């Protein structure tokens, strides 16, 4: 993270009230020891005068765990870490925890549970939040615990523990879980509601209640009976020790949820694989049947998950700060995505002036202090990253002397940090089971913040060194220290007793968290998602360079998963996540409760937009997948900034070049004289990046290679394929469009491909048609298949504002890789069934867009006149017969193109529905 050191005045726009979390006993330091790791070493005691984890007042703190968990590595930097890390002395329970769809906070009497469904816009319009507000508290009669501890956890679930000596309570909660599973002893089950509940179902041990407009089901053991007295709801457990509750998407869902009330979740686990250019991940829950034999369950998928699964989903949905969550009736689901490729550097191109580039390289290599005075882990990392980007660039143009000088600088500084006893070293904390670099910065020591940000640069730099010097990277040399940093930040092992599994990466949320203690009313946060990706890219390159396919594939999983989360939750690429009243196209920070157009240290728009771009590397290509979102991002930055970027112009030129290389190159040409590079950048790297993409074209994310170190670029319909082979024998890389590329050992190869389809065939010779009639399919797809299940999707409310002509929270259906010849005289047609129920004044509207070459830019958009629905329940037919309201661009033949249909409510203040999966849910395009 660029900074999370403090909260200066500019950052008060976050409008986040700190909540209280608590203190633990201070650790007594033992005699220091040096632990060898290959040629390197670290210590097991902090350097004199330094600090480890503390409370907000500076008192040392140790993990707040039960006896059963005391020897397990604590996953700090998680959505629930305040259960184990007591940041505030007057709160020994927790701060608000955002599991989604439910929110939680531990108190002396049990677990507060909420389901926030209405966002608030705060901080002068710069932040949206679905803040925790308790609907009810889960507990036991008389429970008054002095604290709450973490008792058990798995990949995305946790079990808090309460005990007051007479009563003991455990609850299991998690991401995507509509249920809370409770086990208690010493008292009757007790649910305390925030207001007098309305009972909508009473079946003895099953009670349906509505609190604050939210519907809950309470489940006690068979034979028990819930008793309602004001805001207190109790049930004797009849000698049993379990009960549960669920938040319901609607009252009529009670029967479905009742089926799984006693199938208690006991664990969660993700398994991933990366092969053939595809990353697959399976998310599984383990369960225990408390009654009967049912072992299934219900789980709510985030947007970044349901966009990439073909598994069946129910019609049930939930509101969340990450957009709509969709419910699956199963204990597991699988996602599949194209691998987001990583290159050590952009490939060679004819557009680069080698003499000019050499001059820029010498400015860095011959600087009086190439590390710019960096002393702590973060700024040293930034300096290492700056040098690492230039090593393969120098090698590419034959400047081996500069290459080797840069490598020598990097090795020297890495080895200083990788050797205990000097001015800079790493220290292992036995209580928190973490590795901290000293001098530390931005709370990486006292709050356990940002380890994945800081260490990403070390891993990435080491990967570049390993590319050129395999002996240096051996475990017996310096590789053991690199792997120790990986174990601290991205440990793939669940059985390692020294470090937790994937410390900062939340596998279900799809991204990392930065705060070690999570001690905020808004939950945990992450500002610089791009520095998190930098670690993933470093793992890909390190694993490839050292032959560690496990770490390489872990890096691919992390990068590909977080890329989609960034696309949806930081950039809102589909415009389906941010609330309508939040007037921004991007956020600088994602919080458990929402997002903020801000940073920790400044309100400068350049840095708000740039913090999720830096560092720009061969691991940044994934950002090019949503080019329209980049254009919106840059446009907003310039509006908020009152003009083009100044301070961080280089980063933002590089970002823009991922969507519009020519525009970025023009800005470089006009503005490269006399500017000061961002501290992780250099003129050499910026010039090479912008000029190369102007020459080769923007990254083409519609095509992937069968090795993770590959990428494709497209300009004027010509694809350029590039791949790096870290291995000792030549390989042939196959791309998803059929093209192949031969890559010699330990080399980068670039070419226009062999054996693949022509990405821009002659207009007289179009590819075979992929069909012209597509059905809408729930989940966001257009398909030629006619055997799918019928269904319906909900169209979001226009929120009482006229949205005619401008998609607002549209439901989007899309198909890619479409080929077809434009049919003379034909036009777009559609037949849709819509229903507003009894709501008055709604008006669904359709836009159909065509990206003719699949490059991410829509060449033609057709917005049709809206259809005014009647307030009578029943399907009505909406077709193109009403005519178009607006048309932009021109049609042409489709060659690997994309067709998108968006439908939204243009008027009114309520939701409506559109039918899917039938012959009355069809769009026909004017192609043969």
């Amino acid at each position: 993270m660029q900074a999370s050191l403090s909260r200066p005045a500019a950052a008060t726009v976050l409008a986040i009230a700190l909540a209280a979390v608590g203190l633990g006993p201070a650790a007594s330091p033992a005699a220091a020891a040096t632990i060898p790791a290959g040629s390197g070493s670290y210590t097991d005691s902090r350097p004199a005068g330094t600090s480890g984890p503390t409370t907000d007042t500076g008192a040392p703190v140790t993990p707040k765990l039960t006896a059963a968990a005391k020897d397990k590595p604590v996953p700090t930097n998680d959505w629930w870490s305040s259960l184990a890390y007591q940041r505030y002395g007057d709160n020994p329970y927790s701060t608000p925890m955002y599991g989604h769809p439910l929110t939680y906070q531990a108190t002396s009497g049990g677990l507060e549970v909420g389901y926030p469904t209405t966002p608030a816009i705060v901080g002068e319009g710069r932040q949206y939040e679905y803040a925790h507000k308790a609907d009810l508290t889960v507990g036991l009669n008389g429970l008054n615990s002095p604290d709450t501890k973490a008792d058990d956890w798995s990949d995305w679930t946790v079990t808090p523990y309460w005990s007051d000596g007479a009563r003991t309570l455990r609850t299991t909660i998690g991401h995507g879980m509509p249920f809370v599973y409770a086990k208690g002893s010493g008292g009757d089950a007790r649910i305390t509601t925030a207001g007098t509940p309305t009972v909508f179902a009473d079946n003895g041990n099953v009670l349906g209640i509505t609190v604050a407009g939210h519907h809950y089901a309470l489940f006690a053991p068979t034979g028990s009976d819930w008793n309602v007295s004001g805001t207190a709801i109790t049930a004797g457990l009849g000698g049993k020790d379990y009960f549960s509750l669920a938040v319901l998407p609607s009252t009529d869902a009670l029967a479905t949820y009742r089926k799984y009330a006693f199938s208690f979740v006991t664990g969660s686990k993700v398994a991933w694989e990366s092969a053939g250019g595809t990353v697959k991940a399976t998310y599984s829950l383990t369960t225990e049947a408390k009654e009967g034999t049912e072992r299934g369950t219900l789980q709510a998928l985030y947007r970044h998950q349901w966009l990439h699964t073909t598994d069946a989903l129910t019609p049930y949905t939930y509101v969340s700060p990450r957009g709509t969550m969709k419910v699956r009736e199963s204990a597991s689901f699988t996602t599949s995505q194209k691998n987001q490729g990583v290159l050590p550097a952009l490939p060679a191109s004819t557009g680069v002036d080698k003499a000019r580039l050499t001059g820029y390289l010498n400015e860095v290599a011959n600087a009086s202090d190439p590390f710019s005075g960096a002393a702590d882990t973060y700024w040293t990392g930034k300096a290492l990253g700056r040098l690492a980007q230039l090593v393969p660039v120098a090698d590419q143009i034959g400047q081996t002397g500069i290459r080797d000088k840069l490598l020598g600088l990097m090795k020297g500084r890495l080895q200083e940090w990788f050797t205990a006893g000097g001015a800079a070293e790493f220290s292992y904390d036995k209580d928190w089971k973490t590795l901290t670099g000293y001098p530390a910065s931005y709370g990486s020591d006292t709050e356990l913040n940002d380890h994945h940000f800081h260490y990403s640069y070390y891993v990435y730099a080491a990967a570049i060194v390993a590319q050129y010097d395999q002996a240096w990277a051996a475990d017996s040399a310096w590789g053991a220290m690199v792997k120790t940093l990986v174990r601290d930040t991205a440990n793939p092992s669940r059985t390692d007793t020294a470090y937790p599994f994937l410390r900062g990466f939340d596998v279900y949320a799809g991204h990392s968290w930065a705060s070690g203690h999570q001690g905020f009313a808004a939950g945990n946060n992450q500002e610089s998602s791009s520095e998190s990706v930098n670690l993933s890219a470093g793992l890909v390159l390190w694993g490839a360079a050292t032959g560690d396919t496990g770490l390489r594939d872990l890096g691919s999983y992390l990068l590909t998963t977080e890329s989609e989360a960034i696309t949806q939750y930081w950039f809102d690429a589909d415009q389906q996540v941010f609330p309508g009243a939040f007037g921004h196209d991007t956020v600088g920070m994602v919080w458990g409760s929402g997002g903020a157009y801000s940073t920790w240290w400044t309100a400068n728009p350049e840095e708000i937009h740039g913090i999720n771009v830096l560092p720009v590397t061969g691991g940044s290509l994934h950002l090019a997948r949503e080019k329209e979102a980049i254009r919106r991002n840059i446009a907003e930055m310039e509006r908020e900034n009152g003009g083009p970027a100044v301070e961080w112009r280089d980063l933002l030129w590089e970002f823009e070049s991922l969507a519009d290389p020519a525009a970025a190159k023009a800005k470089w040409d006009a503005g490269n004289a006399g500017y000061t590079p961002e501290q992780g950048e250099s003129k050499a790297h910026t010039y090479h990046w912008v000029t190369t993409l102007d020459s080769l074209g923007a990254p083409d994310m519609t095509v992937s290679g069968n090795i993770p170190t590959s990428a494709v670029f497209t300009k004027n319909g010509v694809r350029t394929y590039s791949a790096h082979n870290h291995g000792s024998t030549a390989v042939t890389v196959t791309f998803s469009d059929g093209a192949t590329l031969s890559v010699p050992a330990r080399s980068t190869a670039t070419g226009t491909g062999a054996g693949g389809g022509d990405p821009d065939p002659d207009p007289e010779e179009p590819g075979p048609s992929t069909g012209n009639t597509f059905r809408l399919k729930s989940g966001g797809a257009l398909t030629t298949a006619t055997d799918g299940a019928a269904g319906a999707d909900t169209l979001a409310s226009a929120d009482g504002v006229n949205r005619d002509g401008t998609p607002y929270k549209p439901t989007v259906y899309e198909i890619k890789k479409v080929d077809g010849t434009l049919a003379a005289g034909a036009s777009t047609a559609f037949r849709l069934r819509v229903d507003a129920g009894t709501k008055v004044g709604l008006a669904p509207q359709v836009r159909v867009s065509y990206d003719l070459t699949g490059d991410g830019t829509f060449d033609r958009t057709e917005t049709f006149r809206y259809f005014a629905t009647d307030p009578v329940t029943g399907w009505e037919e909406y077709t193109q017969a009403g005519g178009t309201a607006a048309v932009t661009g021109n049609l042409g033949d489709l060659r690997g193109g994309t067709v998108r249909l968006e439908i939204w409510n243009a008027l009114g203040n309520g939701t409506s529905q559109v039918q899917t999966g039938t012959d009355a849910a069809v769009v026909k395009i004017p192609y043969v």
Side-chain angles (χ1 to χ4, degrees):
M1 182 184 281
Q2 191 69 17
S4 58
L5 173 64
S6 61
R7 298 185 64 199
T12 60
V13 296
L14 291 173
I16 294 167
L18 296 182
V21 196
L23 239 154
S28 300
T34 297
I35 297 114
S39 297
S41 57
Y42 57 95
T43 70
D44 67 355
S45 184
R46 292 184 295 273
T50 64
S51 181
T54 66
T55 66
D56 64 325
T57 60
V61 63
T62 55
K64 186 160 58 78
L65 308 175
T66 64
K70 68 181 179 63
D71 295 324
K72 294 178 62 176
V74 181
T76 58
N77 309 78
D78 215 330
W79 68 272
W80 57 265
S81 295
S82 62
L83 281 170
Y85 190 139
Q86 186 177 341
R87 178 66 175 163
Y88 307 104
D90 60 353
N91 181 358
Y93 304 104
S94 82
T95 53
M97 302 172 288
Y98 292 82
H100 306 145
L102 292 173
T103 61
Y104 317 95
Q105 184 167 9
T107 68
S108 61
L111 182 71
E112 288 185 355
V113 177
Y115 174 42
T117 53
T118 303
I121 309 301
V122 298
E124 299 177 357
R126 288 177 172 263
Q127 183 171 352
Y128 77 88
E129 60 179 12
Y130 292 78
H132 168 70
K133 182 179 181 181
D135 288 338
L136 49 83
T137 300
V138 180
L140 301 172
N141 263 340
L143 178 65
N144 185 21
S145 179
D147 58 21
T148 308
K149 298 176 180 179
D151 184 57
D152 196 12
W153 53 83
S154 59
D155 288 8
W156 62 88
T157 66
V158 64
T159 300
Y161 171 92
W162 296 258
S163 179
D164 62 8
R167 288 157 289 267
T168 297
L169 175 70
R170 291 175 173 86
T171 63
T172 296
I173 56 179
H175 278 316
M177 287 170 47
F179 284 92
V180 174
Y181 305 97
K183 294 181 68 176
S185 62
D188 291 348
R190 180 184 179 96
I191 307 297
T192 305
T193 56
T196 302
T198 300
V199 175
F200 65 83
D202 187 351
N203 299 302
N205 71 317
V206 178
L207 188 71
I209 61 172
T210 300
V211 183
H214 304 138
H215 310 302
Y216 291 89
L218 314 182
F219 305 99
T222 298
S224 298
D225 188 26
W226 289 102
N227 298 297
V228 181
S229 177
T231 60
I233 306 173
T234 59
L237 298 179
K240 310 293 186 182
D241 66 351
Y242 56 85
F243 60 102
S244 67
L245 69 80
V247 62
L248 303 178
S250 60
T251 55
D252 61 8
L254 177 59
T256 299
Y257 280 65
R258 180 176 185 171
K259 179 180 177 182
Y260 302 107
F262 300 114
S263 178
F264 273 40
V265 168
T266 57
S268 56
K269 185 175 183 179
V270 64
W272 61 84
E273 63 174 340
S274 175
T278 299
V279 174
K280 292 184 178 181
T282 298
Y283 300 83
S284 302
L285 296 171
T286 55
T287 62
E288 173 188 11
K290 290 294 185 181
E291 293 187 8
T293 59
E294 180 60 62
R295 296 287 299 276
T297 192
L298 296 156
Q299 49 188 324
L301 279 63
Y302 283 116
R303 179 175 180 81
H304 76 275
Q305 296 168 325
W306 57 255
L307 282 172
H308 296 286
T309 188
T310 57
D311 292 337
L313 303 175
T314 71
Y316 300 130
T317 62
Y318 290 105
V319 174
S320 87
R322 311 292 179 251
T324 299
M325 299 183 80
K326 298 188 176 185
V327 176
R328 174 158 167 76
E329 192 172 3
S330 174
S332 70
F333 64 91
T334 298
T335 61
S336 180
Q337 294 175 254
K338 279 190 175 69
N339 199 340
Q340 306 297 307
V342 176
L343 293 175
L346 293 184
S349 75
T350 57
V352 171
D353 182 326
K354 293 183 180 179
R356 185 178 184 182
L357 181 56
T358 298
Y360 288 145
L361 287 166
N362 276 319
E363 288 179 7
V364 177
N366 298 328
S368 59
D369 179 9
F371 291 92
S372 305
D376 63 50
T377 48
Y378 182 73
W379 292 103
T380 298
K382 291 270 287 186
L384 285 166
R386 182 175 65 248
L387 301 181
Q389 300 315 309
L390 300 182
V391 170
V393 169
D395 188 49
Q396 192 179 96
I397 62 172
Q399 292 292 340
T400 55
I402 298 175
R403 176 200 69 190
D404 292 344
K405 184 173 185 178
L406 295 172
L407 283 168
L409 289 168
M410 292 162 59
K411 288 179 184 177
R413 188 56 58 96
L414 285 168
Q415 289 166 200
E416 287 177 17
W417 276 90
F418 289 171
T419 303
E425 67 178 16
F426 286 95
S427 171
Y428 180 72
D429 187 312
K430 295 184 290 294
D431 293 317
W432 288 96
K433 301 190 187 311
T434 187
L435 191 76
T436 302
Y438 293 91
S441 53
Y442 305 118
S444 60
D445 51 352
T446 56
E447 300 179 56
L448 300 183
N449 294 340
D450 301 356
H451 284 203
H452 63 310
F453 294 155
H454 296 206
Y455 303 171
S456 74
Y457 292 101
Y458 295 74
V459 175
Y460 200 111
I464 296 298
V465 173
Q467 181 177 326
Y468 295 92
D469 188 347
Q470 289 78 44
W472 184 92
D475 287 350
S476 58
W478 300 98
M481 277 301 297
V482 177
K483 289 183 176 179
T484 303
L485 267 64
V486 171
R487 286 172 70 196
D488 182 68
T489 54
N491 188 9
S493 172
R494 297 179 182 84
T495 58
D496 191 334
T497 59
Y499 297 94
F501 172 69
L502 296 179
R503 179 185 304 280
F505 192 82
D506 186 327
V507 295
Y508 205 88
H511 59 82
S512 296
W513 297 110
S515 169
H517 51 73
Q518 184 259 312
F520 304 95
N524 214 322
N525 74 90
Q526 178 165 260
E527 183 177 58
S528 184
S529 61
S530 46
E531 286 180 309
S532 179
V533 165
N534 193 48
L535 176 60
S536 304
L539 291 173
V540 172
L541 295 178
W542 172 264
T546 61
D548 190 333
T549 57
L551 284 183
R552 181 200 66 189
D553 293 349
L554 168 63
S556 291
Y557 163 68
L558 298 178
L559 193 158
T560 300
T561 303
E562 189 151 24
S563 174
E564 187 61 59
I566 293 166
T567 295
Q568 300 299 331
Y569 312 141
W570 274 260
F571 296 157
D572 195 17
D574 297 334
Q575 298 180 294
Q576 294 284 295
V577 174
F578 297 169
F582 181 64
H584 296 282
D585 289 320
T586 189
V587 294
M589 307 173 72
V590 160
W591 288 85
S593 66
Y597 185 79
S598 186
T599 71
W600 277 110
W601 81 101
T602 183
N604 179 3
E606 295 183 33
E607 289 156 287
I608 292 171
H609 288 258
I611 192 60
N612 285 292
V613 175
L614 65 81
V616 177
T617 75
S620 304
L621 303 179
H622 73 99
L623 292 170
R625 194 173 72 253
E626 297 290 346
K627 294 177 173 58
E628 285 299 326
I630 294 176
R631 295 184 184 106
R632 288 198 305 271
N633 196 305
I634 294 293
E636 180 181 17
M637 183 278 297
E638 293 184 348
R639 287 196 308 272
E640 295 281 336
N641 205 44
V646 179
E647 289 93 342
W648 279 9
R649 67 182 77 178
D650 44 4
L651 286 171
L652 293 163
W653 290 337
E654 291 170 316
F655 184 39
E656 186 171 13
S657 69
L658 295 170
D660 294 312
K665 175 63 161 50
K667 290 179 179 178
W668 158 268
D669 289 340
N672 70 76
Y675 81 93
T676 300
E678 187 273 332
Q679 287 169 288
E681 265 298 338
S682 63
K683 284 193 174 181
H685 181 253
T686 302
Y687 170 70
H688 180 265
W689 183 275
V690 172
T691 306
T692 298
L693 290 181
D694 183 57
S695 180
L696 300 181
D700 184 346
M701 306 308 292
T702 67
V703 182
S704 61
N706 67 344
I707 66 170
T709 51
S710 59
V712 183
F713 308 86
T714 300
K715 182 175 183 179
N716 297 328
V718 176
R719 284 184 176 142
T720 299
Y721 303 83
S722 184
H724 186 84
N725 174 16
H726 287 88
S728 58
T729 58
V731 298
T732 297
V733 179
T734 301
F735 292 86
S736 58
D737 64 350
T740 59
L741 182 68
S742 296
V743 190
R746 306 198 188 287
S747 301
T748 295
T750 304
T752 54
D758 185 349
D760 189 15
D762 187 276
E764 307 304 321
E765 301 177 4
S769 172
T770 48
N772 65 3
T773 303
F774 306 100
R775 286 190 179 189
L776 280 61
K777 179 181 177 182
S778 291
L782 293 174
T783 178
T784 56
T786 59
D787 56 354
D793 285 342
T794 299
L795 307 183
S797 171
D799 292 334
V801 177
N802 188 327
R803 312 289 183 178
D804 184 14
T806 303
Y808 176 72
K809 297 183 180 178
T811 299
V812 180
Y813 304 89
E814 188 174 272
I815 185 169
K816 297 183 177 182
K817 296 184 179 179
V818 181
D819 294 307
T821 302
L822 184 63
S827 60
T828 305
F830 60 87
R831 179 188 179 204
L832 304 176
R833 285 179 178 164
V834 294
D835 180 24
T838 59
K839 303 179 187 75
V840 177
L842 272 56
Q845 188 167 26
V846 161
R847 173 178 288 178
V848 179
S849 304
Y850 298 87
D851 171 358
L852 300 179
T853 60
D855 65 356
T857 299
F858 285 96
D859 305 280
R860 166 86 166 190
T861 63
E862 302 173 0
T863 304
F864 293 84
R865 291 190 176 95
Y866 62 70
F867 176 78
T869 54
D870 63 33
V872 179
T873 300
W875 295 111
E876 300 176 78
E877 192 155 285
Y878 175 23
T879 75
Q880 80 288 344
T884 55
V887 176
T888 62
N890 297 300
L891 287 171
D893 291 342
L894 283 162
R895 297 185 181 87
T898 299
V899 178
R900 174 183 291 178
L901 184 146
E902 300 168 88
I903 180 169
W904 68 99
N905 279 313
L907 302 174
N909 200 1
T911 61
S912 59
Q913 287 192 310
V914 61
Q915 198 171 99
T916 60
T918 73
D919 59 3
V922 170
V923 59
K924 184 174 181 179
I925 61 176
Y927 289 85
V928 293

